[in-house]
Amino acid sequence: MPRRTMIEAIRDAMDVSMARDERVIVYGEDVGFFGGVFRCTQGLQAKYGKNRCFDAPISESGIVGSAIGMAAYGLRPCVEVQFADYVYPAYDQIVSEAARLRYRSNNDFTCPIVVRMPTGGGIFGGQTHSQSPEALFTHVSGLKTVVPSNPHDAKGLLIAAIEDPDPVIFLEPKRLYNGPFDGHHDNPVTPWSKHELGEVADGHYTIPLGKAAIRRQGSAVTVLAYGTMVYVAQAAAAETGIDAEIIDLRTLLPLDLDAIVASVKKTGRCVVVHEATLTSGFGAELAALVQENCFYHLEAPVARVAGWDTPYPHAQEWEYFPGPARVGRALVETMEA
Amino acid sequence: MPRRTMIEAIRDAMDVSMARDERVIVYGEDVGFFGGVFRCTQGLQAKYGKNRCFDAPISESGIVGSAIGMAAYGLRPCVEVQFADYVYPAYDQIVSEAARLRYRSNNDFTCPIVVRMPTGGGIFGGQTHSQSPEALFTHVSGLKTVVPSNPHDAKGLLIAAIEDPDPVIFLEPKRLYNGPFDGHHDNPVTPWSKHELGEVADGHYTIPLGKAAIRRQGSAVTVLAYGTMVYVAQAAAAETGIDAEIIDLRTLLPLDLDAIVASVKKTGRCVVVHEATLTSGFGAELAALVQENCFYHLEAPVARVAGWDTPYPHAQEWEYFPGPARVGRALVETMEA
Amino acid sequence: MADAGMLRFHVPEPEVRPGGTPDFSNVTIPKAGSVPRPEVNVDPRTIRDMAFSIIRVLNRAGEAVGPWAGLLTDEELLEGLRHMMTLRSFDARMQMAQRQGKTSFYMQHLGEEAVSCAFRKALQPGDMNFPTYRQAGLLIADGYPMVAMMNQIYSNEADPLKGRQLPIMYSSKEHGFFSISGNLATQYIQAVGWAMASAISNDSRIAAAWIGDGSTAESDFHAALVFASTYKAPVVLNVVNNQWAISTFQGIARGGSGTFAARGLGFGIPSLRVDGNDYLAVHAVAKWAIERARRNLGPTLVEYVTYRVGAHSSSDDPSAYRPKAESDAWPLGDPIIRLKNHLIHKQVWTEQRHIQAEAEILETVIAAQKEAESHGTLHAGGKPSTRDMFEGVYAETPPHLRRQRQQAGV
Amino acid sequence: MADAGMLRFHVPEPEVRPGGTPDFSNVTIPKAGSVPRPEVNVDPRTIRDMAFSIIRVLNRAGEAVGPWAGLLTDEELLEGLRHMMTLRSFDARMQMAQRQGKTSFYMQHLGEEAVSCAFRKALQPGDMNFPTYRQAGLLIADGYPMVAMMNQIYSNEADPLKGRQLPIMYSSKEHGFFSISGNLATQYIQAVGWAMASAISNDSRIAAAWIGDGSTAESDFHAALVFASTYKAPVVLNVVNNQWAISTFQGIARGGSGTFAARGLGFGIPSLRVDGNDYLAVHAVAKWAIERARRNLGPTLVEYVTYRVGAHSSSDDPSAYRPKAESDAWPLGDPIIRLKNHLIHKQVWTEQRHIQAEAEILETVIAAQKEAESHGTLHAGGKPSTRDMFEGVYAETPPHLRRQRQQAGV
Ligand SMILES: Cc1ncc(C[n+]2csc(CCOP(=O)(O)OP(=O)(O)O)c2C)c(N)n1
Ligand SMILES: Cc1ncc(C[n+]2csc(CCOP(=O)(O)OP(=O)(O)O)c2C)c(N)n1
Ligand SMILES: [Mg+2]
Ligand SMILES: [Mg+2]
């Protein structure tokens, strides 16, 4: 099977979707001729023409707002926000409009859009190229929120997102674009070409939104993770020798609660990890759900490991990033609790 | 002591602050001549002149963005967003700018602004006059978030917010403007003039940000609430006869975790209530914190009662609103768990 | 230096406030027929002045004059009159129903009926409006059933929106009426996106965006102009300047530009101002702008100069912020009376037939109201189910919402 | 109808792409000295044409001509030259340092040095700039220490911003330089707010807002124009049109308006265009706009026509989207060479002294760099502490953050 980087997988998902469905339109800042600052849309304008892949003005609200109008018309726009840190100007259009259009019009108008954006830190991008705003979307009824962790999933999930009849926020952990980064920033990253999840089949396939994947079977403790933190958790498990069951959520909303509950009932312990700031992060929802649904099985409090409650700093990137040492410590503490 | 409605108390807080400190400036949509659609700023333009209280264009991003500039200059703007549902156009300015200005400039520039906004439902306002977006602010490092539940607190907290050196989001539960609404929408509301928390001293006083208040002492179960839900919880306790300890958080961030932990360690049970949609609501953070900090004292899972994960509907307002019956059921279930 | 350099803060103020005498002497009203009608493919740079004038057709004598006149037949004009009268009657009844507690909220069009009624008649089937809450004339003039509107207003069991939306936030794809949002201005850029989609699809349908004077200050207004200008989207960008935004006079949103049409000049978009109380002028300008869109000539910005005679909404009382008689002093008159006078002048209408028509229309409205009320009002009779509340959040209800619905026992 | 009405989608394209021959024949360049200089209290409606012209002072012969000339002494011009040369030298060294891995990121000013260097000299102490990442000339020309800039770029132990900010996101209240945001356009409305505050306080200090051509599409640009126009804020609204926004040519943001200055026309704001590669023209226009602000005449919009000669940032490679030699073809030349030629023409400067000055400046920059590097670079030597990361989120660290800091062991 061909191996692809995550960038290639994402590009391939759009390519496949554009080839199959004329209604799929791709645009965003620097997305057209140049192919995006991360090159995710490279070649699409040449292949499908300027009508279907083009540069947008620097206006995130305009990009998402116009996409909503296109979706109401009957197209299926898949737009890019250059960094998740720049999604806020579009937040009103996403929250007040895209998320509620079907509901408020009782299916008269719908909004099948995908808003793609690179997320997460680890590239010395400072506070405006590092954020993980997923919890700001999971609180909003009417949205779906997806965070792939590897090329195989990224392609299948993105095609599913494009085909989904409702708005999907698609967060791409940029630190994973080229390989499965595990938080050991001093080590070179294995490229996707050397990783089995870099295997990306040609042509059309989907991964259903709302289904988690177990990345490591284990019996001692359940780790709930997504995106980059899946690899950090794997490293932490390996380094502590703790037999963790690592669940890659893939879709945060709808959430695969069944998979989570089954695992925690088995292990009796749970550690939640994410890169976003701790307070009111998506980990809070996960911890709340786990204790609600597994209370009588829990042998220790659900622990959360997350970015600190500060803006993402530049120089102290690795002190901020919840790397394998911090996750490992939480695993040990949870086992000892 | 004089009794005031919550509207009068809020107005008085601004009046007192403007009189004491020339730097306090008040503006927003319809805020000047008319005095605001809820009349919270009535009379301030006449008293302090158009330089200090004026109408703004309908541009929430402009209102907050200009306030940030004024704060950087050295003023202390206290601006109104007409409904919390309309804060999203300003979300970028709040999250990317106000919240991070001190940090990113290492105290070179600071942002002492207050953004006031009416929040919550119960007035048949439909999906755009009913929202409770507090969790969208508590996730943002650098912001403080306040939700008063009565005139006395509203005044003291608002003065504290205006005097605070950092940006404060001040959410005013509009269903409480005229009296302590407990969710029994068929009953007339007691006016604040008949309620002891309607007692609002003249002149200057503050209530520190970050301190909760116990509204009902109890031993059976701790209820964490804020805003309107404080009264709903009181009604639920009265109606179920359960000896609940009801904590009115008042400030969500910084949170009075000590008060919460002390109470839950005493009662061994906890119910969290809010009007915002459940998933990723502030209740998730509260439940996560309680189980983290009180795990070995908990005799039942922390329960959450919240608005359903749908937009706020118009006709089904009372089916949506987490009223005393739903809160009461959670109390009973938590006691029986 | 210190004194000379002392800065002063400037806050625009309306000419008068309650207690004062209404004064519109600052509003320059060009004579009907005096503004030329350029070709639709005119170079926008040559017609910048039109953003500072007012296109008018009906003069004080009730005659239709000048280059923008002559587009409508007598039948069409009579139909237009009926639409406006229907909207006014509908408003009056629904306003009263709100006062009677039959619903929570209402917003009227009083004085602004010509804008949406005339515009609708210039569109083709399939075109899409992205309206605000003050363009119900688009529905009335397109024959959307009044009963359906009332069912929505009452949030009753027959409400097409299942009780989910605030009253008057209608939606009808079939009638080219995009779901109204309570959030101002958001729909303006969506209209441009819809128009872009139509162009991308080599369709022939065009879009119309709607916004109020006050809401042009919102940022989405800018996004719309940027996208419309860059992609030459087939869209008509309508600004309804009814002088007020709740309690705020239009000078606060407009600032030093003189007019709202002027905003288009910064984007190279042809920008016209039109007498919004003149059915014929509104229709003629709408036709012009729509033809431009349809002929791939790109967007047009149109400012409708009108006056909000009623309160902002049923929650508002304008006597607190403007003189009571201000609407009487409004120099552009009443759109219904002006069209009526024109038709009388043309001898195709009489005072008597007008009175008769008023009565007939009222009867139709009352009949519709009866029917709607048989399906319930907000607090009485049939209402949408709790189950309806849980549906339509997504195409397929996800597990967490199914669990919540079960918890709610439905 | 069907065919005639078939809509087509329009996406603007630059004249040439890589492989093509650079072509600026579409850019009309008025002769130096040809644009009149109106009084500062001119009625904006009478100078709309200025939004479509270009104010220029230095002609091809190196002479300063026309009504905008004559404001600066030889010493001031020599100082200006030094500032621009310093900025260019600084850029070159820091770009190299980034390539050497001493920091993560850098952004150059190549070709745009005149804009910020000349503007700064037109301001008074106390005035406040709200810059983007491409106005470091404001700091250089105000004497802000280069070492401090470098410390920030290196995020080292002496970084005034404690390592928290991306390189080049300087902040200096003392030097009238507002903390740079990574989010485009947000600072534009903040500048207007600052100016409003100054007016409210009856102060005499004014604000300057900065934005790039591409970023004018952002919504905050609109908010700024609305507020500036309504409250007549004492602010200069600067748009630096360097033709590119990363890979996107300015036509995508500009659309059909012809120029960015035109945006001001919709707000009744006097709007000028100036040759951004002409130190004298930039300074003269800045003076004019600043005087307007200071004299309570309200905002002015100024578009600086220039060209981004370098890559967008150290993460960018422009050869993928524009012809390599495009910058050579840019008709407004290089700002340093033009000012140098003018000074040589005036006989106060020579080629030889220029070469000598270049060497001296390089030495100063290298000395500063050495000093900065003694405090560390991003991955080596002294760096801000982990504790610094936890501080400054609030004036007083709240309990939850204290707990987290303890967890982090600092
Ligand atoms: C984003 C947003 N901000 C504020 C409001 C509250 N609001 C509702 S209508 C209105 C005034 C709108 O005035 P205008 O645009 O002139 O329209 P008009 O009501 O006069 O037709 C305001 C401020 C809102 N609905 N949405
Ligand atoms: C809100 C936001 N969206 C996108 C970006 C990414 N971005 C950084 S610079 C840039 C181009 C800006 O171009 P322009 O305004 O012309 O300024 P220039 O770089 O040419 O000086 C973009 C898109 C950002 N920083 N902020
Ligand atoms: Mg209005
Ligand atoms: Mg640029």
Side-chain angles (χ1 to χ4, degrees):
Chain A
M1 207 180 301
R3 305 237 172 176
R4 291 181 164 93
T5 68
M6 197 132 149
I7 291 168
E8 290 161 348
I10 287 164
R11 187 189 300 148
D12 195 35
M14 286 184 272
D15 192 352
V16 166
S17 300
M18 291 175 89
R20 282 168 61 98
D21 187 346
E22 280 223 312
R23 298 170 304 169
V24 178
I25 307 290
V26 168
Y27 61 105
E29 295 158 22
D30 301 298
V31 154
F33 184 84
F34 183 55
V37 295
F38 288 102
R39 324 315 310 276
C40 289
T41 57
Q42 201 179 7
L44 297 178
Q45 182 175 81
K47 185 159 174 191
Y48 297 101
K50 282 200 296 172
N51 260 25
R52 301 201 41 215
C53 177
F54 53 90
D55 286 330
I58 304 175
S59 165
E60 291 76 13
S61 65
I63 291 168
V64 175
S66 61
I68 294 170
M70 288 191 198
Y73 175 90
L75 300 186
R76 295 193 160 249
C78 173
V79 298
E80 176 175 306
V81 169
Q82 202 161 79
F83 285 86
D85 315 59
Y86 305 139
V87 74
Y88 307 115
Y91 196 63
D92 187 39
Q93 285 286 349
I94 293 172
V95 172
S96 306
E97 300 294 323
R100 295 207 296 261
L101 183 55
R102 174 190 293 282
Y103 190 77
R104 76 174 200 233
S105 75
N106 190 29
N107 302 311
D108 196 23
F109 294 93
T110 61
C111 191
I113 65 171
V114 177
V115 186
R116 293 177 42 241
M117 55 192 113
T119 187
I123 60 157
F124 279 100
Q127 52 197 289
T128 54
H129 303 89
S130 306
Q131 293 167 43
S132 298
E134 63 273 8
L136 304 175
F137 300 111
T138 54
H139 189 42
V140 180
S141 310
L143 299 180
K144 297 182 178 175
T145 301
V146 177
V147 190
S149 72
N150 60 71
H152 171 78
D153 284 7
K155 176 171 171 181
L157 288 165
L158 183 50
I159 295 178
I162 291 171
E163 294 175 357
D164 196 273
D166 289 305
V168 180
I169 305 298
F170 196 85
L171 294 155
E172 303 168 1
K174 66 176 91 70
R175 198 54 169 88
L176 298 181
Y177 272 155
N178 293 311
F181 177 70
D182 66 4
H184 284 295
H185 52 92
D186 293 330
N187 302 348
V189 157
T190 328
W192 283 118
S193 58
K194 301 234 169 78
H195 195 283
E196 64 171 340
L197 289 169
E199 289 192 352
V200 177
D202 286 332
H204 181 270
Y205 69 89
T206 61
I207 291 178
L209 306 189
K211 287 275 161 269
I214 296 181
R215 296 292 172 208
R216 186 190 190 283
Q217 304 272 355
S219 60
V221 50
T222 301
V223 180
L224 304 179
Y226 47 93
T228 313
M229 298 309 290
V230 169
Y231 304 98
V232 175
Q234 285 175 348
E239 286 155 29
T240 56
I242 291 172
D243 186 25
E245 177 142 305
I246 298 173
I247 300 186
D248 177 354
L249 297 174
R250 304 202 287 200
T251 306
L252 308 192
L253 202 110
L255 182 69
D256 193 347
L257 186 61
D258 291 345
I260 294 170
V261 170
S263 176
V264 177
K265 285 196 174 163
K266 180 176 78 174
T267 61
R269 295 170 201 266
C270 182
V271 173
V272 176
V273 295
H274 59 61
E275 198 181 335
T277 50
L278 178 79
T279 297
S280 278
F282 190 63
E285 179 62 33
L286 292 172
L289 283 173
V290 167
Q291 67 85 32
E292 268 161 41
N293 288 280
C294 311
F295 185 78
Y296 300 101
H297 295 77
L298 278 177
E299 287 165 47
V302 183
R304 290 183 288 167
V305 187
W308 306 117
D309 284 342
T310 75
Y312 214 114
H314 177 250
Q316 302 91 338
E317 170 132 60
W318 302 119
E319 286 77 41
Y320 183 89
F321 187 90
R326 275 177 64 203
V327 176
R329 210 176 318 134
L331 289 178
V332 171
E333 280 168 17
T334 300
M335 289 315 298
E336 288 170 356
Chain B
M1 205 178 305
R3 305 237 172 176
R4 290 180 165 93
T5 68
M6 197 134 151
I7 291 168
E8 291 161 347
I10 286 164
R11 188 190 300 148
D12 195 35
M14 286 184 272
D15 192 351
V16 167
S17 300
M18 292 175 89
R20 282 168 60 99
D21 186 347
E22 278 222 314
R23 298 170 305 170
V24 178
I25 307 290
V26 167
Y27 62 104
E29 295 158 22
D30 300 299
V31 153
F33 184 85
F34 183 55
V37 295
F38 288 103
R39 322 317 308 274
C40 289
T41 57
Q42 201 179 6
L44 297 179
Q45 182 175 82
K47 188 161 173 189
Y48 297 101
K50 280 201 295 173
N51 260 25
R52 299 197 47 212
C53 177
F54 53 89
D55 287 330
I58 303 174
S59 166
E60 291 76 14
S61 65
I63 290 168
V64 175
S66 60
I68 293 169
M70 288 191 196
Y73 175 90
L75 300 186
R76 296 192 159 252
C78 173
V79 299
E80 176 175 306
V81 168
Q82 201 161 79
F83 285 85
D85 316 60
Y86 304 139
V87 74
Y88 306 115
Y91 196 63
D92 186 39
Q93 285 286 348
I94 293 172
V95 171
S96 306
E97 300 294 323
R100 295 207 297 260
L101 183 55
R102 174 190 294 282
Y103 190 78
R104 75 173 199 233
S105 75
N106 190 28
N107 302 310
D108 196 24
F109 294 93
T110 61
C111 191
I113 66 171
V114 178
V115 186
R116 293 177 42 241
M117 56 192 111
T119 187
I123 61 158
F124 279 99
Q127 52 196 289
T128 54
H129 303 87
S130 306
Q131 294 167 41
S132 298
E134 63 274 9
L136 303 174
F137 299 110
T138 54
H139 189 41
V140 180
S141 310
L143 299 180
K144 297 182 179 176
T145 301
V146 178
V147 191
S149 73
N150 61 71
H152 170 78
D153 284 7
K155 178 172 171 183
L157 289 165
L158 183 52
I159 295 177
I162 291 171
E163 294 175 358
D164 196 273
D166 289 304
V168 180
I169 305 298
F170 196 86
L171 294 155
E172 303 168 1
K174 65 178 91 69
R175 199 51 170 92
L176 298 182
Y177 273 155
N178 293 309
F181 177 70
D182 66 3
H184 284 297
H185 51 93
D186 293 330
N187 302 348
V189 158
T190 329
W192 284 118
S193 58
K194 301 234 169 76
H195 195 284
E196 63 170 340
L197 289 170
E199 287 191 354
V200 177
D202 287 331
H204 181 270
Y205 69 88
T206 61
I207 292 178
L209 307 188
K211 286 276 161 269
I214 297 181
R215 295 295 171 204
R216 186 189 190 284
Q217 304 272 357
S219 60
V221 51
T222 301
V223 180
L224 304 180
Y226 47 93
T228 312
M229 299 309 290
V230 170
Y231 304 98
V232 174
Q234 286 176 346
E239 286 156 29
T240 55
I242 291 172
D243 186 23
E245 177 143 302
I246 299 174
I247 300 186
D248 177 354
L249 297 175
R250 302 203 288 198
T251 306
L252 308 192
L253 201 110
L255 182 69
D256 192 347
L257 186 61
D258 291 345
I260 294 170
V261 171
S263 176
V264 177
K265 285 197 172 161
K266 181 176 78 174
T267 62
R269 293 167 202 268
C270 183
V271 173
V272 176
V273 295
H274 58 62
E275 199 181 335
T277 50
L278 179 78
T279 298
S280 279
F282 190 64
E285 179 62 33
L286 291 171
L289 283 173
V290 167
Q291 67 84 33
E292 268 161 40
N293 288 280
C294 312
F295 185 77
Y296 300 101
H297 294 78
L298 278 176
E299 288 166 46
V302 183
R304 290 184 289 167
V305 187
W308 306 115
D309 283 341
T310 75
Y312 214 115
H314 177 250
Q316 302 91 338
E317 171 133 59
W318 301 118
E319 286 77 42
Y320 182 90
F321 186 90
R326 274 177 65 203
V327 176
R329 211 178 315 134
L331 289 177
V332 171
E333 280 168 17
T334 300
M335 290 314 298
E336 288 171 355
Chain C
M1 158 90 208
D3 242 354
M6 191 173 95
L7 296 168
R8 289 179 307 278
F9 189 54
H10 170 78
V11 182
E13 268 293 313
E15 302 291 324
V16 278
R17 287 295 195 183
T21 310
D23 179 8
F24 286 109
S25 54
N26 64 326
V27 185
T28 320
I29 311 285
K31 272 179 71 166
S34 65
V35 177
R37 183 178 188 283
E39 293 300 311
V40 289
N41 59 358
V42 64
D43 179 345
R45 287 172 296 183
T46 63
I47 57 160
R48 288 202 191 113
D49 284 350
M50 295 188 80
F52 301 97
S53 190
I54 304 182
I55 296 164
R56 305 178 65 230
V57 170
L58 291 175
N59 68 13
R60 294 190 174 237
E63 296 154 341
V65 294
W68 296 87
L71 288 181
L72 291 163
T73 64
D74 290 346
E75 287 66 46
E76 287 168 331
L77 289 172
L78 286 165
E79 194 196 14
L81 182 67
R82 175 165 289 269
H83 290 153
M84 293 199 285
M85 291 170 73
T86 304
L87 179 53
R88 187 166 294 183
S89 185
F90 182 93
D91 269 350
R93 293 297 299 183
M94 290 296 100
Q95 172 84 3
M96 199 196 300
Q98 191 278 337
R99 289 276 175 263
Q100 292 165 339
K102 290 177 180 169
T103 191
S104 58
F105 182 76
Y106 194 70
M107 295 181 97
Q108 288 184 281
H109 303 74
L110 200 60
E112 303 177 43
E113 291 88 348
V115 177
S116 51
C117 289
F119 189 90
R120 175 68 251 188
K121 298 310 287 184
L123 288 171
Q124 298 281 327
D127 293 339
M128 185 62 70
N129 287 286
F130 287 74
T132 82
Y133 44 71
R134 231 184 282 283
Q135 280 92 42
L138 295 171
L139 288 173
I140 300 269
D142 202 52
Y144 183 75
M146 270 192 283
V147 179
M149 293 168 74
M150 289 168 169
N151 289 335
Q152 197 281 325
I153 290 167
Y154 288 142
S155 274
N156 65 21
E157 68 188 11
D159 172 7
L161 306 184
K162 302 282 187 197
R164 295 185 194 135
Q165 265 285 41
L166 201 64
I168 71 145
M169 302 282 168
Y170 318 108
S171 174
S172 173
K173 193 177 202 166
E174 198 189 330
H175 288 268
F177 192 95
F178 186 73
S179 158
I180 300 178
S181 172
N183 299 64
L184 299 171
T186 45
Q187 76 289 349
Y188 220 61
I189 172 67
Q190 293 164 7
V192 176
W194 196 99
M196 288 166 68
S198 187
I200 287 170
S201 310
N202 299 133
D203 196 347
S204 64
R205 296 179 289 157
I206 66 111
W210 293 89
I211 203 166
D213 50 296
S215 307
T216 59
E218 284 286 7
S219 297
D220 284 331
F221 179 72
H222 180 67
L225 267 64
V226 171
F227 278 64
S229 171
T230 292
Y231 302 112
K232 293 199 181 142
V235 61
V236 182
L237 301 163
N238 295 310
V239 177
V240 183
N241 176 3
N242 64 4
Q243 312 300 321
W244 290 92
I246 310 185
S247 77
T248 306
F249 93 116
Q250 42 102 6
I252 291 286
R254 192 202 60 210
S257 69
T259 73
F260 290 93
R263 292 285 196 269
L265 301 184
F267 296 85
I269 297 176
S271 302
L272 313 182
R273 285 180 100 214
V274 56
D275 178 345
N277 291 9
D278 178 339
Y279 187 94
L280 285 83
V282 168
H283 176 266
V285 169
K287 269 269 182 220
W288 191 87
I290 290 163
E291 192 188 337
R292 277 183 43 79
R294 193 107 53 206
R295 283 181 48 187
N296 270 307
L297 295 164
T300 309
L301 194 150
V302 183
E303 174 183 349
Y304 302 88
V305 183
T306 181
Y307 185 89
R308 194 197 78 209
V309 175
H312 169 72
S313 75
S314 55
S315 314
D316 178 47
D317 173 11
S319 69
Y321 52 81
R322 66 184 191 189
K324 273 223 166 74
E326 196 179 87
S327 65
D328 301 337
W330 175 244
L332 294 175
D334 178 273
I336 294 182
I337 296 176
R338 283 175 69 193
L339 182 54
K340 178 186 105 181
N341 288 346
H342 174 58
L343 290 166
I344 291 174
H345 175 88
K346 286 189 109 179
Q347 302 191 314
V348 297
W349 197 241
T350 63
E351 283 289 355
Q352 207 190 326
R353 276 168 72 185
H354 193 80
I355 291 166
Q356 198 182 322
E358 246 166 11
E360 282 165 22
I361 285 167
L362 181 60
E363 231 172 90
T364 331
V365 174
I366 290 175
Q369 190 178 3
K370 281 229 176 82
E371 188 183 333
E373 291 184 6
S374 76
H375 297 293
T377 59
L378 181 57
H379 301 295
K383 61 174 286 184
S385 71
T386 306
R387 205 181 159 93
D388 286 327
M389 172 174 75
F390 285 103
E391 266 156 24
V393 185
Y394 300 90
E396 215 181 297
T397 303
H400 70 283
L401 215 42
R402 281 207 304 273
R403 275 194 303 276
Q404 292 183 19
R405 193 178 64 201
Q406 281 153 16
Q407 268 177 50
V410 292
Chain D
M1 156 94 209
D3 241 357
M6 191 173 94
L7 297 168
R8 289 178 307 278
F9 189 52
H10 170 78
V11 181
E13 268 294 313
E15 302 291 324
V16 277
R17 287 294 194 184
T21 309
D23 179 8
F24 286 109
S25 55
N26 64 326
V27 184
T28 321
I29 312 284
K31 273 179 69 166
S34 66
V35 177
R37 183 179 189 282
E39 292 300 311
V40 289
N41 60 358
V42 63
D43 179 344
R45 285 171 299 182
T46 63
I47 57 160
R48 287 202 192 113
D49 284 350
M50 295 188 80
F52 302 95
S53 190
I54 303 182
I55 296 165
R56 306 179 65 230
V57 170
L58 291 175
N59 67 14
R60 297 195 168 231
E63 297 155 339
V65 295
W68 296 86
L71 288 180
L72 291 164
T73 64
D74 290 347
E75 286 66 46
E76 287 169 330
L77 290 172
L78 286 166
E79 194 195 15
L81 182 67
R82 176 165 288 269
H83 291 153
M84 292 198 286
M85 291 170 73
T86 304
L87 179 54
R88 188 166 294 182
S89 185
F90 182 93
D91 269 351
R93 293 296 301 182
M94 290 296 101
Q95 173 83 5
M96 200 196 302
Q98 192 277 336
R99 288 277 175 262
Q100 293 165 340
K102 291 177 181 171
T103 191
S104 57
F105 182 75
Y106 194 70
M107 295 180 95
Q108 289 183 281
H109 302 74
L110 200 61
E112 303 178 41
E113 291 89 348
V115 177
S116 51
C117 289
F119 189 89
R120 174 67 250 187
K121 298 311 286 182
L123 288 171
Q124 298 281 327
D127 294 339
M128 185 62 70
N129 287 287
F130 287 74
T132 81
Y133 45 71
R134 232 184 280 283
Q135 280 91 44
L138 295 170
L139 288 173
I140 300 270
D142 203 51
Y144 183 74
M146 268 192 284
V147 178
M149 293 167 75
M150 290 168 169
N151 289 335
Q152 196 282 324
I153 291 168
Y154 288 143
S155 274
N156 65 20
E157 68 188 9
D159 172 7
L161 306 184
K162 302 279 187 201
R164 294 184 195 138
Q165 265 286 41
L166 201 64
I168 72 146
M169 301 283 168
Y170 318 108
S171 174
S172 173
K173 193 177 201 164
E174 200 191 329
H175 288 267
F177 192 96
F178 186 73
S179 157
I180 301 178
S181 173
N183 299 65
L184 299 171
T186 45
Q187 77 289 350
Y188 221 61
I189 172 68
Q190 293 165 8
V192 175
W194 196 99
M196 288 166 67
S198 187
I200 286 171
S201 309
N202 299 134
D203 195 347
S204 64
R205 296 179 289 157
I206 67 111
W210 294 89
I211 203 166
D213 49 294
S215 307
T216 61
E218 283 287 5
S219 297
D220 284 330
F221 179 72
H222 180 67
L225 266 66
V226 170
F227 278 63
S229 171
T230 291
Y231 302 112
K232 293 198 182 144
V235 61
V236 182
L237 301 164
N238 294 311
V239 177
V240 183
N241 177 3
N242 64 4
Q243 312 301 320
W244 290 94
I246 309 185
S247 78
T248 306
F249 92 117
Q250 43 101 6
I252 292 286
R254 193 202 60 210
S257 68
T259 73
F260 290 93
R263 292 285 196 268
L265 301 183
F267 295 85
I269 296 176
S271 302
L272 313 183
R273 286 181 99 214
V274 57
D275 178 344
N277 291 10
D278 178 340
Y279 188 93
L280 286 84
V282 168
H283 176 266
V285 169
K287 269 270 181 218
W288 191 87
I290 289 164
E291 191 186 339
R292 277 183 44 80
R294 193 107 53 205
R295 284 182 47 187
N296 270 306
L297 295 164
T300 309
L301 194 149
V302 182
E303 174 183 348
Y304 302 88
V305 183
T306 181
Y307 185 88
R308 194 197 80 210
V309 175
H312 169 73
S313 74
S314 55
S315 315
D316 178 47
D317 173 11
S319 69
Y321 52 80
R322 67 183 191 189
K324 273 223 168 75
E326 196 179 87
S327 63
D328 301 336
W330 176 243
L332 293 176
D334 178 273
I336 293 182
I337 296 177
R338 284 175 68 194
L339 183 54
K340 178 185 102 179
N341 289 345
H342 174 58
L343 290 165
I344 291 174
H345 176 88
K346 287 188 108 180
Q347 302 191 311
V348 296
W349 197 241
T350 62
E351 283 289 356
Q352 205 190 327
R353 279 169 70 187
H354 192 79
I355 289 165
Q356 197 182 322
E358 246 166 11
E360 282 164 24
I361 286 168
L362 181 60
E363 231 171 89
T364 330
V365 173
I366 288 175
Q369 191 178 2
K370 281 228 174 83
E371 187 183 335
E373 292 183 4
S374 77
H375 297 293
T377 59
L378 181 57
H379 300 297
K383 60 174 284 184
S385 71
T386 306
R387 206 182 158 92
D388 286 329
M389 173 174 75
F390 285 104
E391 267 155 24
V393 184
Y394 300 89
E396 215 181 297
T397 303
H400 69 285
L401 215 43
R402 280 207 304 275
R403 275 195 304 276
Q404 293 183 19
R405 193 179 64 202
Q406 281 153 16
Q407 268 177 53
V410 292

